Amino acid sequence: MVNIVLFGPPGAGKGTQSEKIIEKYGLKHISTGDLFRKHLGEGTDLGKKAQSFMDNGKLVPDHVVIGMVDDFLNDNTGEKGFIFDGFPRTVAQAEALDELLAKHETSINCMLMLEVPHEELKKRLLERGKTSGRADDQNEEKINIRIQEYLNKTLPVASFYEQQGKICKVKGVGSIDGIFADIAASLDAHFKA
Ligand code: ADP
């Protein structure tokens, strides 16, 4: 199996690039943000637990996210591999993911880090907010909270994977296809090594 963590701040282009990665490498996509929005839409108990955190731009508590990913992995056996999008977002989630994957006798191969300057992020999120219908994209204060959550809680996840020698860094600015070409080159080089 090949398992990739797609990493980067809110608005880095993780969703867009993961579609292209899935197409080329045949991996199964798991986006915790999308899963939460689905639960919210369906009004499940899990959705109710996540709602206030999401509405305020805060991270949902680790145990809620980890339980949801555990269920997803148990429901999707027999895949070639996974691309994790928006997860893990804390070091505790990264540690839990290692344990969950070990249960399925697999592990993370690489963490792909999309680097985008903060001013560019804000611009993109506000632009997305005009059409996405996502409340958390329409308000500058909530965007700032999400970027702060990223800097405080999520960035340490990069060191976690760096210590394991699993990081590939890619510049997330430029054309969608240009960025993808860099991602593919980086992944191919990583897998050859
Ligand atoms: P973005 O890519 O814009 O940051 P996502 O769609 O990945 O947004 O996530 C939206 C919201 O869902 C986050 O702001 C957070 O409240 C919640 N969320 C998603 N994934 C996680 C996670 N791994 N841990 C905690 N909260 C999460």
Side-chain angles (χ1 to χ4, degrees):
M1 277 176 89
V2 171
N3 300 299
I4 299 172
V5 171
L6 188 58
F7 189 86
K14 298 189 290 288
T16 309
Q17 294 298 336
S18 52
E19 279 175 27
K20 299 181 82 71
I21 298 171
I22 293 155
E23 204 182 307
K24 179 165 164 123
Y25 296 92
L27 304 177
K28 178 87 181 167
H29 185 219
I30 164 167
S31 157
T32 44
D34 287 351
L35 287 175
F36 279 132
R37 279 185 286 277
K38 187 160 176 276
H39 278 279
L40 239 63
E42 291 169 357
T44 66
D45 282 348
L46 197 136
K48 284 177 194 140
K49 278 187 202 151
Q51 177 139 35
S52 64
F53 297 97
M54 293 179 72
D55 284 351
N56 292 311
K58 305 290 276 184
L59 290 183
V60 176
D62 285 335
H63 69 275
V64 178
V65 190
I66 293 163
M68 184 173 74
V69 173
D70 189 13
D71 289 345
F72 185 92
L73 293 178
N74 291 332
D75 290 345
N76 290 277
T77 51
E79 294 289 342
K80 258 175 81 179
F82 292 93
I83 174 153
F84 295 91
D85 171 358
F87 179 88
R89 262 184 160 87
T90 63
V91 172
Q93 289 179 19
E95 287 167 350
L97 179 59
D98 278 353
E99 284 171 26
L100 294 181
L101 291 176
K103 268 199 315 194
H104 295 274
E105 293 173 354
T106 185
S107 61
I108 292 296
N109 297 84
C110 105
M111 186 193 104
L112 197 68
M113 185 166 185
L114 275 177
E115 297 181 301
V116 181
H118 289 165
E119 281 317 305
E120 170 75 17
L121 295 175
K122 263 195 229 171
K123 228 171 50 192
R124 287 186 190 177
L125 290 169
L126 285 168
E127 199 52 43
R128 181 168 85 184
K130 289 182 192 162
T131 52
S132 70
R134 278 180 56 173
D136 61 349
D137 283 345
Q138 290 170 25
N139 174 314
E140 199 162 345
E141 192 190 332
K142 282 180 190 163
I143 290 176
N144 284 331
I145 295 174
R146 278 155 68 204
I147 294 176
Q148 275 312 316
E149 287 280 88
Y150 173 78
L151 294 174
N152 294 337
K153 297 180 185 160
T154 306
L155 211 47
V157 175
S159 315
F160 178 87
Y161 288 110
E162 188 134 49
Q163 280 160 16
Q164 301 184 7
K166 290 181 178 170
I167 286 200
C168 304
K169 288 184 185 169
V170 173
K171 292 244 172 313
V173 185
S175 72
I176 290 175
D177 288 334
I179 297 168
F180 181 65
D182 288 348
I183 289 179
S186 176
L187 287 179
D188 290 343
H190 189 86
F191 293 133
K192 248 188 242 145

PDB file of all heavy atoms in Angstrom, residues 36 43 48 55 91 128 162 169 178:
ATOM      1  N   PHE A  36     -16.771  15.569   7.986  1.00  0.00           N
ATOM      2  CA  PHE A  36     -17.522  16.348   8.989  1.00  0.00           C
ATOM      3  C   PHE A  36     -18.686  17.100   8.349  1.00  0.00           C
ATOM      4  O   PHE A  36     -19.790  17.140   8.894  1.00  0.00           O
ATOM      5  CB  PHE A  36     -16.612  17.349   9.708  1.00  0.00           C
ATOM      6  CG  PHE A  36     -15.800  16.735  10.816  1.00  0.00           C
ATOM      7  CD1 PHE A  36     -14.434  16.981  10.906  1.00  0.00           C
ATOM      8  CD2 PHE A  36     -16.392  15.929  11.778  1.00  0.00           C
ATOM      9  CE1 PHE A  36     -13.675  16.420  11.931  1.00  0.00           C
ATOM     10  CE2 PHE A  36     -15.642  15.369  12.808  1.00  0.00           C
ATOM     11  CZ  PHE A  36     -14.281  15.617  12.873  1.00  0.00           C
ATOM     12  N   GLY A  43     -27.050  15.688   9.970  1.00  0.00           N
ATOM     13  CA  GLY A  43     -27.502  15.894  11.356  1.00  0.00           C
ATOM     14  C   GLY A  43     -27.193  14.729  12.285  1.00  0.00           C
ATOM     15  O   GLY A  43     -27.944  14.460  13.224  1.00  0.00           O
ATOM     16  N   LYS A  48     -23.197  16.827  15.207  1.00  0.00           N
ATOM     17  CA  LYS A  48     -23.570  17.761  16.282  1.00  0.00           C
ATOM     18  C   LYS A  48     -22.375  18.057  17.182  1.00  0.00           C
ATOM     19  O   LYS A  48     -22.198  19.178  17.657  1.00  0.00           O
ATOM     20  CB  LYS A  48     -24.742  17.201  17.098  1.00  0.00           C
ATOM     21  CG  LYS A  48     -26.052  17.333  16.335  1.00  0.00           C
ATOM     22  CD  LYS A  48     -27.223  16.725  17.091  1.00  0.00           C
ATOM     23  CE  LYS A  48     -28.412  16.587  16.136  1.00  0.00           C
ATOM     24  NZ  LYS A  48     -29.139  15.339  16.317  1.00  0.00           N
ATOM     25  N   ASP A  55     -17.806  25.786  13.182  1.00  0.00           N
ATOM     26  CA  ASP A  55     -18.380  27.120  12.959  1.00  0.00           C
ATOM     27  C   ASP A  55     -17.442  28.215  13.451  1.00  0.00           C
ATOM     28  O   ASP A  55     -17.437  29.318  12.927  1.00  0.00           O
ATOM     29  CB  ASP A  55     -19.723  27.254  13.687  1.00  0.00           C
ATOM     30  CG  ASP A  55     -20.822  26.519  12.944  1.00  0.00           C
ATOM     31  OD1 ASP A  55     -20.570  26.074  11.806  1.00  0.00           O
ATOM     32  OD2 ASP A  55     -21.924  26.375  13.503  1.00  0.00           O
ATOM     33  N   VAL A  91      -0.322  16.529  16.674  1.00  0.00           N
ATOM     34  CA  VAL A  91       0.639  15.438  16.863  1.00  0.00           C
ATOM     35  C   VAL A  91      -0.081  14.205  17.433  1.00  0.00           C
ATOM     36  O   VAL A  91       0.205  13.073  17.033  1.00  0.00           O
ATOM     37  CB  VAL A  91       1.811  15.892  17.762  1.00  0.00           C
ATOM     38  CG1 VAL A  91       2.709  14.721  18.127  1.00  0.00           C
ATOM     39  CG2 VAL A  91       2.626  16.973  17.041  1.00  0.00           C
ATOM     40  N   ARG A 128     -13.063  31.764  -2.171  1.00  0.00           N
ATOM     41  CA  ARG A 128     -13.819  30.508  -2.139  1.00  0.00           C
ATOM     42  C   ARG A 128     -15.149  30.708  -1.413  1.00  0.00           C
ATOM     43  O   ARG A 128     -16.161  30.122  -1.786  1.00  0.00           O
ATOM     44  CB  ARG A 128     -12.971  29.435  -1.429  1.00  0.00           C
ATOM     45  CG  ARG A 128     -13.619  28.067  -1.343  1.00  0.00           C
ATOM     46  CD  ARG A 128     -12.635  27.000  -0.907  1.00  0.00           C
ATOM     47  NE  ARG A 128     -12.502  26.916   0.541  1.00  0.00           N
ATOM     48  CZ  ARG A 128     -11.643  26.100   1.165  1.00  0.00           C
ATOM     49  NH1 ARG A 128     -10.833  25.326   0.477  1.00  0.00           N
ATOM     50  NH2 ARG A 128     -11.586  26.065   2.470  1.00  0.00           N
ATOM     51  N   GLU A 162       9.017  14.845   9.831  1.00  0.00           N
ATOM     52  CA  GLU A 162      10.399  15.162   9.454  1.00  0.00           C
ATOM     53  C   GLU A 162      11.357  14.215  10.193  1.00  0.00           C
ATOM     54  O   GLU A 162      12.298  13.687   9.607  1.00  0.00           O
ATOM     55  CB  GLU A 162      10.724  16.624   9.808  1.00  0.00           C
ATOM     56  CG  GLU A 162      12.061  17.098   9.271  1.00  0.00           C
ATOM     57  CD  GLU A 162      11.944  18.471   8.608  1.00  0.00           C
ATOM     58  OE1 GLU A 162      11.345  19.369   9.247  1.00  0.00           O
ATOM     59  OE2 GLU A 162      12.436  18.618   7.479  1.00  0.00           O
ATOM     60  N   LYS A 169       8.523  18.600   0.354  1.00  0.00           N
ATOM     61  CA  LYS A 169       7.957  19.956   0.309  1.00  0.00           C
ATOM     62  C   LYS A 169       7.734  20.403  -1.122  1.00  0.00           C
ATOM     63  O   LYS A 169       8.594  20.191  -1.979  1.00  0.00           O
ATOM     64  CB  LYS A 169       8.911  20.941   0.990  1.00  0.00           C
ATOM     65  CG  LYS A 169       8.929  20.785   2.484  1.00  0.00           C
ATOM     66  CD  LYS A 169       9.794  21.839   3.151  1.00  0.00           C
ATOM     67  CE  LYS A 169       9.855  21.529   4.645  1.00  0.00           C
ATOM     68  NZ  LYS A 169      10.841  22.300   5.361  1.00  0.00           N
ATOM     69  N   GLY A 178       0.936  23.119 -12.927  1.00  0.00           N
ATOM     70  CA  GLY A 178       2.357  23.293 -12.600  1.00  0.00           C
ATOM     71  C   GLY A 178       2.658  22.747 -11.206  1.00  0.00           C
ATOM     72  O   GLY A 178       3.653  22.043 -10.996  1.00  0.00           O
TER      73      GLY A 178
END
